[in-house]
Amino acid sequence: MTNTDLKALELLFQRPLEPVFTTRDSGKTVLELPDSFYTDRYRNDTETVGNRFSKDVDLKIPVQELATIPNLDFTKKLGPKHQFSLFNDRHREIASQLITLFMGAPNLRQFVSLSVYTKDRVNPVLFQYAYAVAIAHRPDTREVPITNISQVFPSNFVEPSVFRDARQEASVIGDSGERVHVDIPRNYTASDREDEQRLAYFREDIGVNSHHWHWHLVYPTTGPMEVVNKDRRGELFYYMHHQILARYNVERFCNNLKRVQPLNNLRVEIPEGYFPKILSSVNNRTYPARVSNQLLRDVDREDANIEISEVERWRDRVLAAIDQGYVEDASGNRTQLDDVRGIDILGNMIEASPVLSINNNFYGNLHNQGHNIISFAHDPDARHLEEFGVMGDVTTAMRDPVFYRWHGFIDSVFNKFKARLEPYNASHLNFDGVTVDYIEAKIGKSNTKANTLLTYWQKSSADLAAGLDFGPSADGNIFASFTHLQNAPFTYTFNVTNNGAKRTGTCRIFICPKVDERNQPLRLEDQRLLAIEMDKFTVDLVPGVNTIRRQSTESSVAIPFERSFRPVGADYQPKAADELARFRFCGCGWPQHLLLPKGNAQGMLFDLFVMISDYTQDSVQQPNTPNDACSTAYSFCGLKDKLYPDRRTMGFPFDRRLPNANLTELVGAFGNMAKTDLRIVFNDRVIDKA
């Protein structure tokens, strides 16, 4: 790969709505196109526009002619100003063909040319999705950083008036070093008369919504099999969303709200309204709102026809399969839903991936079509020519309170399957000769109390320059400031006694809420379903006492703030090779600033649970593929081009029923487990990020 190839591929993430021949990289770089690459609108003006945008640039990158001009007629079903949805069957099929086209480019130089040629001829969001999937999966683009979606299409994440202020600042103040940061307002979607607004800091967090998009980028449902058919993909769909739901429910407890009520009936009114107040990048319209007490209806639109009764049939068939303990393919062959592969089969079937579902025609498309019905609630037959609401877009769906109700139902289906499995017993849970003697979590400062952790508000900034199309050619950056939850970094310290020879274990850390929103104690079964995975890592145990220390910033669940909101451009990339590799690849993961639940001012009590399991039962024989620099968030995102690095089912030991009446009894029965009270204190003040 040449430096210009790498640069050209990076530039295609910038200014996604502008023609590909305009300047990028803060006006420093331009792509020089063959005449055949210009669209019909500019074909007669190639010299004029080429000369205009190539003046005063530092770098001109020539783009090679294509050996074969692709036929892009299949993309025309999705117009350039229409919204693109991964939940829509027609859109997914178009994306699948485009991903296949990109993956089939014979070499890197031709992939650059194909991408440049395609960009201005297809829907911009479709292009960015299919292009990013190809970048993430082609072996020759391992070194290309995928720009965070919040910086490609910032209007999907930020209140619209911010862009007027940002463009004004960039137009008036030429030197980016003198520009002031533009403030993104807090709590702009509803007032405190709406109880659900207490969770806006979680639902509307830029990092949370970016993670959801990036996860679906890494795990697409359609495309070439080498892109779609990843190890334990269906199980990961279940577990990642299960953990989001557990975290959301715990956040509700922190804010004196009860658990989410699963949306298991699509024929009753939805009391939760949502008015998103964000713009669609492609058509500059606001995402439509859903009023309170909205009734869902069958969807009858040109590109989406869904009957509620059909979704109900799929639901009943999936539930019947769980009750029977097996699924049937199109030929009537049965596959048992066992404790190893059952959850993976169900995940691919429910989401659903048409190429991985065991019988897509029969079991249907439950999860995605539920999203679609809800997203068109305001205009189900297109009589008002409105596009879908935020539930129709993976970059915005998590903003809506009903997302968690719909996924509460989807999670209840998976939990029904898990409840059929036998409870874990000593053969699964024990690690003979290993005892966890002491556990604590402590903030780093010397005068802090063990097992008391702190959350607070933090004001941080993100660069919007890359996504501000048709604005000032803007040398430099345009920063927007926003306020988000943050936690003080802390250290786990565990003392573990190994009464045997040297061996390896897997350390599994969870926190479980002790009480609900009414301060009532939770049963073990409730704690199990609300258990939040905090970290997972291997430990080498020498004979005798071992002291294990682990920083909260090393979590296997989360990625640091800088990877969620990294600035665009070479000036901001690390110089060290290992850091550069992490910077490029690690876009998938829960945001580190939301690793801890908010807690409350009095200090919300949790059980900090630690288990050391037997690595001989956990280890996975990995294929001989290159090590990926990014393994930090593997609990949610797996490992690139490798098997999921834990043989146990995801969420172990809380993914199945447990043999004891309460958590105290459980840790009392097994020496390789321990728990202690953990208090999370919320400090309601805003601190500027250093």
Side-chain angles (χ1 to χ4, degrees), residues 266-389:
L266 296 177
R267 297 187 183 274
V268 298
E269 293 179 343
I270 298 177
E272 300 89 355
Y274 187 62
F275 291 71
K277 302 178 183 64
I278 52 174
L279 291 176
S280 158
S281 299
V282 292
N283 58 25
N284 217 34
R285 294 181 185 173
T286 57
Y287 278 85
R290 184 185 62 257
V291 297
S292 301
N293 301 312
Q294 176 74 61
L295 194 64
L296 301 178
R297 294 180 175 84
D298 295 343
V299 175
D300 182 16
R301 301 171 64 100
E302 184 181 351
D303 64 347
N305 293 89
I306 315 140
E307 293 181 2
I308 292 174
S309 59
E310 188 171 29
V311 175
E312 290 170 333
R313 279 195 298 277
W314 296 335
R315 174 201 65 194
D316 293 344
R317 289 169 181 173
V318 170
L319 292 173
I322 291 170
D323 287 336
Q324 292 167 335
Y326 62 84
V327 291
E328 291 187 354
D329 65 16
S331 302
N333 301 310
R334 294 179 179 179
T335 301
Q336 296 298 312
L337 294 173
D338 60 23
D339 61 347
V340 178
R341 289 198 58 236
I343 192 70
D344 192 51
I345 292 168
L346 285 172
N348 285 324
M349 202 169 85
I350 289 170
E351 185 182 8
S353 169
V355 295
L356 298 181
S357 173
I358 203 155
N359 191 344
N360 192 236
N361 286 333
F362 185 72
Y363 295 111
N365 192 6
L366 179 59
H367 161 262
N368 292 329
Q369 294 294 38
H371 268 270
N372 287 326
I373 288 172
I374 297 166
S375 74
F376 285 121
H378 57 282
D379 193 16
D381 58 5
R383 71 179 59 200
H384 301 295
L385 302 179
E386 286 287 331
E387 294 268 18
F388 53 73

Side-chain angles (χ1 to χ4, degrees), residues 232 235-236 238-239 418 635 644 648-652 655:
R232 296 169 70 177
E235 183 180 7
L236 203 48
Y238 145 72
Y239 186 62
K418 289 282 190 176
S635 288
Y644 191 82
R648 309 272 194 167
T649 48
M650 297 175 197
F652 175 81
D655 66 300

Side-chain angles (χ1 to χ4, degrees), residues 311-522:
V311 175
E312 290 170 333
R313 279 195 298 277
W314 296 335
R315 174 201 65 194
D316 293 344
R317 289 169 181 173
V318 170
L319 292 173
I322 291 170
D323 287 336
Q324 292 167 335
Y326 62 84
V327 291
E328 291 187 354
D329 65 16
S331 302
N333 301 310
R334 294 179 179 179
T335 301
Q336 296 298 312
L337 294 173
D338 60 23
D339 61 347
V340 178
R341 289 198 58 236
I343 192 70
D344 192 51
I345 292 168
L346 285 172
N348 285 324
M349 202 169 85
I350 289 170
E351 185 182 8
S353 169
V355 295
L356 298 181
S357 173
I358 203 155
N359 191 344
N360 192 236
N361 286 333
F362 185 72
Y363 295 111
N365 192 6
L366 179 59
H367 161 262
N368 292 329
Q369 294 294 38
H371 268 270
N372 287 326
I373 288 172
I374 297 166
S375 74
F376 285 121
H378 57 282
D379 193 16
D381 58 5
R383 71 179 59 200
H384 301 295
L385 302 179
E386 286 287 331
E387 294 268 18
F388 53 73
V390 293
M391 273 290 280
D393 187 337
V394 293
T395 65
T396 57
M398 287 184 66
R399 304 173 74 86
D400 193 331
V402 82
F403 172 91
Y404 305 89
R405 292 198 61 204
W406 178 238
H407 273 275
F409 162 67
I410 296 295
D411 197 55
S412 73
V413 176
F414 290 123
N415 290 336
K416 179 180 173 67
F417 164 71
K418 289 282 190 176
R420 289 187 69 259
L421 303 175
E422 290 295 316
Y424 283 126
N425 59 42
S427 68
H428 305 114
L429 300 172
N430 203 19
F431 191 7
D432 280 334
V434 172
T435 307
V436 182
D437 304 310
Y438 175 78
I439 63 173
E440 72 165 32
K442 190 173 184 293
I443 295 172
K445 295 177 181 176
S446 57
N447 60 345
T448 56
K449 188 178 177 183
N451 299 319
T452 297
L453 303 181
L454 179 67
T455 64
Y456 53 93
W457 301 121
Q458 185 174 68
K459 192 172 215 179
S460 301
S461 299
D463 186 7
L464 303 180
L468 285 183
D469 301 275
F470 303 110
S473 61
D475 293 335
N477 315 97
I478 306 169
F479 283 102
S481 297
F482 58 100
T483 303
H484 57 88
L485 191 67
Q486 183 59 283
N487 56 84
F490 56 94
T491 303
Y492 300 106
T493 302
F494 312 138
N495 291 340
V496 180
T497 301
N498 173 18
N499 294 312
K502 182 179 178 181
R503 49 185 153 174
T504 303
T506 303
C507 185
R508 302 169 187 273
I509 307 174
F510 292 81
I511 59 172
C512 306
K514 292 172 77 77
V515 297
D516 64 14
E517 80 286 355
R518 295 181 298 117
N519 212 33
Q520 297 299 303
L522 292 168

